[in-house]
Structures are given as structure tokens and as C-alpha cells.
Amino acid sequence: MSTLERWTRWPAGDTPVREHSSRARTVLSFFGRAAMLGAVLSGTYAERHYGGWQVLIPLGWIAAAAALFTGWYVSCRARRLWPAMACAAGLLVYAGLAHEGGARTLAAVIWCGLAVLAVIRLPLAAGLLTAGAALGSYGLGSNDSLLVLLAVAGGLGLLGWLLRLDGQARSAQRALLAGERAAQAARAESAALAERARIAREIHDVLAHSLSAQLVHLEAARLMLDAGADRAEVRERIVSARRMAQDGLVETRQALSALRGEFAPVAEFVAELAAQSEAELTVDGVPRPVPAEPGLAVRRTAQEALTNARKHAPGGRVEVRLAYLDGAVELTVRNSGAPHGADPVLGDSGNGYGLLGMRERAELLGGELLAGPEDGGWRVLLRVPT
């Protein structure tokens, strides 16, 4: 901040936004103003005798001073410098007239109050100028000694400066609190979006695997019907599709349980899946609990890779390797090419997004997924940190 800005910038604590006050602070503020008004009234009436309708004169003086202070306060809240300075000049003149009219207590309160409030609410240059004029007027209208005047001026100036710093500190605290609340809201929204994406991904994976497996068997049944195959063989395919639908319901329940943090050991799931697909399973390392997200990635990748093996290389050899590494878990699914004479026509079924979904899941977890041809077959390698 440049020197010019430091002298001309409005105090940070004087913002147009109204700060919410506690009940105790509101009560103390009310009683403090009431005590100040009572002191001004008693002091004004004690300075001279008012008879008859003249008892209304001090009330008129105080009401006019309150109106000028209100205009000054509103101008400061709106950060309008020249209207605020005009109201301050009016208050100085009015205090001089009140002093000459016998309302010396009211005049002293206006001068001292304006001196403190100017330092608190006005830009520093304008505040010091106004405070100096108010204290100078107070000194000219007072009969106190020079030492007393210096003490009053120093005390009021110090009070105004401390209150100015307090207002700036509270303003900075409010800004930090508002920023923290905004950051918390952004984090909550980001977490909600991430959770929605995770749920959508799980539902997609379960449905994609279950429906694609059913499609394999139903498409095979259709081809067998077109070829005039035996009724028992067609029935077997349909029964397999029905079983896949039942397995899909089970997987859906498992996915919901995993989303709630209730997940079964990954090794057991992969072993069961390999047995259903008649694949050779190898487990390296000591099996250990795997967190929910990496465990789901291994599950879905194993399901997708074995389904792809059945679709693209029916009858081929499939090998599954699950390795527990230091700080990671690795899944490898290899399948050989389709045997001679096998019809891989079902390889065109599905939506083609399986590998993309597996890779995105792995990258979200900080892992990697490699998929490509190997020795005439296909290999899928997933490695995710745990």
C-alpha cells in the first residue's frame, strides 16, 4: 500500500454491511447511549435555569446535534467523504453556538465525540484534520489548563486510534470467516459432486458388466435359434442369462454395501469371479484388507476384463493374477486368442467404453491401467495404491 493510499483509504472496519451484534453487546450499547444522553441532559440543565417553555430549549439543542451526527454517520457508512466533512463542519459550528448559548456540556460532548469518531470512521488524513479541529475548538472553549488539555487530547486521540485498529481487526476477521465459509461451501459442493460421480460410476459399472454378460448369452441363444440348434442348448444359454441377471442384482447390493464402506475381501471376490469364468488364478503376496475405492477398482476391472475375454476370445485360456505389493495392489488378466473355429461375433456387443471407464477409475485413484495385445492375446494390468 502506498503512502497516499494509507492516508486517503477508508478504514476497513467501516463497511456498508451491517455486522450482526450479540444480545449482550446490543444491551450494553443501548445503556451506554442512554447514560450519555442522561449525562448531557443533567449537565445542560444544571448550567443555567430554564423556566416555563424554556425547558424545551436543551431538548432542541440535543435533537439538532443528534440529527447532524446521524447525517455524518450515514455519510461515513456510505463512504461519501465530502458530505461527511460537511456534517463535521456543521457539528463544529453547532457546538460553538451551543457553547455560546450556555450549553457547554453539550458542546464539550460534541467536540470530544467528534474527535474520537473522526479518527475511527474517516480516512486517516480527513480524520486527523477533523479531530484536530474538534480538539482545538474544545481547547478554546474550555477553561482547563494546558496540561489538562494535552492529556484530554492525547487520551481521546489514543482512544480513537485503538478503536480504529479494533475495527480493522474485526473487519479482517470477518473477511477471513467469510472466506473460510466460502471455502467450506466449495469443498462441500466438490465433495457432493465427487460422491455423485462415484455413485454414478458404480451404477454404470454394475449395469455395464451385468447387462453385457446377459447380452453375450442372449445373443448366443439368438444365433443358435437362427442356426436351428438343439432346444436344450438354447435353454442353457437362456438359463445362463437369467443367472447373470441374478448375479447383477447381487453385484448391485455389493456396490451399495461398498458405498457404505461395507466391502468383502478383494481376494475372495476375485477368486469367486475367476472360478465362474473358469480362469486360472494366482495370488502373490500376503492378502490384506484393501480400502473401499481401490478394492472397487480391482473388482470392476476384473469383471470387465473377464467379460471382454468371454466376448472377444470365447473358449480361450484366461489367467488372473492378483498381487499384493508394497503400498499397492496389482491385478493382471491375460487371455489367449480364440481357438481355431471359435466364432467371436459377440465381440461387437457392448458400448465400447469399458477400457475407458477402467482407466479413468485407476487415474482418479492415482494408479494406472495398461491394456493391449500380448502374444496373440490380450492383457489388462491394473495397479492402484492402497
Side-chain angles (χ1 to χ4, degrees):
M1 183 188 303
S2 64
T3 304
L4 180 61
E5 290 178 346
R6 184 177 293 107
W7 285 93
T8 59
R9 187 173 62 92
W10 286 87
D14 188 37
T15 59
V17 179
R18 182 177 178 84
E19 181 185 2
H20 177 71
S21 300
S22 63
R23 183 177 180 85
R25 183 175 180 179
T26 302
V27 172
L28 288 176
S29 177
F30 173 79
F31 280 107
R33 294 174 183 177
M36 177 65 69
L37 178 60
V40 172
L41 284 173
S42 62
T44 303
Y45 279 110
E47 289 171 341
R48 57 177 296 185
H49 176 71
Y50 295 95
W53 62 270
Q54 293 182 346
V55 296
L56 300 177
I57 294 178
L59 297 178
W61 284 107
I62 295 173
L68 285 173
F69 264 116
T70 300
W72 181 82
Y73 178 78
V74 171
S75 299
C76 290
R77 294 286 288 183
R79 297 194 173 188
R80 300 175 61 186
L81 179 60
W82 294 116
M85 295 299 292
C87 290
L91 283 168
L92 292 175
V93 173
Y94 184 78
L97 294 176
H99 184 273
E100 293 299 325
R104 293 182 175 83
T105 301
L106 176 61
V109 169
I110 293 175
W111 283 326
C112 295
L114 183 61
V116 174
L117 293 176
V119 176
I120 297 174
R121 297 194 170 276
L122 289 175
L124 193 57
L128 292 179
L129 178 63
T130 303
L135 292 175
S137 299
Y138 173 78
L140 292 176
S142 174
N143 296 323
D144 297 332
S145 64
L146 178 62
L147 182 61
V148 172
L149 292 177
L150 291 177
V152 170
L156 293 177
L158 180 61
L159 176 62
W161 181 252
L162 292 177
L163 291 177
R164 181 188 181 96
L165 294 180
D166 178 69
Q168 292 177 339
R170 287 189 288 109
S171 178
Q173 184 179 14
R174 291 196 300 270
L176 289 175
L177 181 59
E180 179 64 23
R181 289 175 177 172
Q184 289 178 355
R187 286 195 295 267
E189 182 178 0
S190 177
L193 292 176
E195 184 66 14
R196 292 174 187 172
R198 186 167 76 101
I199 293 174
R201 189 167 59 248
E202 293 307 317
I203 294 175
H204 167 268
D205 290 344
V206 170
L207 293 179
H209 168 70
S210 175
L211 294 178
S212 62
Q214 294 175 54
L215 183 59
V216 169
H217 291 283
L218 292 175
E219 185 67 13
R222 184 187 67 82
L223 294 175
M224 293 171 68
L225 285 173
D226 292 342
D230 184 69
R231 181 174 180 272
E233 294 179 357
V234 177
R235 182 180 183 277
E236 181 182 353
R237 287 293 182 177
I238 295 176
V239 170
S240 297
R242 178 177 177 272
R243 185 173 61 252
M244 289 296 174
Q246 293 174 336
D247 292 342
L249 292 176
V250 174
E251 291 172 7
T252 301
R253 297 190 187 98
Q254 291 175 346
L256 294 176
S257 297
L259 289 172
R260 291 192 297 264
E262 304 167 359
F263 49 89
V266 171
E268 295 181 10
F269 181 86
V270 174
E272 182 180 353
L273 194 62
Q276 293 175 357
S277 302
E278 298 180 354
E280 298 179 10
L281 174 64
T282 303
V283 178
D284 294 336
V286 179
R288 63 176 184 271
V290 179
E293 284 294 321
L296 285 173
V298 173
R299 293 164 184 261
R300 299 297 173 246
T301 302
Q303 289 175 333
E304 186 69 28
L306 291 173
T307 300
N308 288 341
R310 289 197 300 267
K311 289 195 301 183
H312 299 282
R317 181 181 177 183
V318 182
E319 298 177 354
V320 179
R321 174 178 174 268
L322 180 63
Y324 290 90
L325 307 177
D326 185 14
V329 62
E330 185 178 275
L331 173 73
T332 306
V333 179
R334 290 186 177 90
N335 65 272
S336 62
H340 181 70
D343 185 8
V345 67
L346 298 178
D348 295 333
S349 62
N351 55 20
Y353 292 106
L355 286 178
L356 178 61
M358 289 189 292
R359 185 171 289 108
E360 288 178 350
R361 180 186 290 274
E363 291 175 353
L364 286 173
L365 297 174
E368 62 176 347
L369 184 136
L370 305 175
E374 182 182 77
D375 298 333
W378 193 266
R379 184 195 70 157
V380 176
L381 171 64
L382 170 71
R383 183 183 297 109
V384 288
T386 58

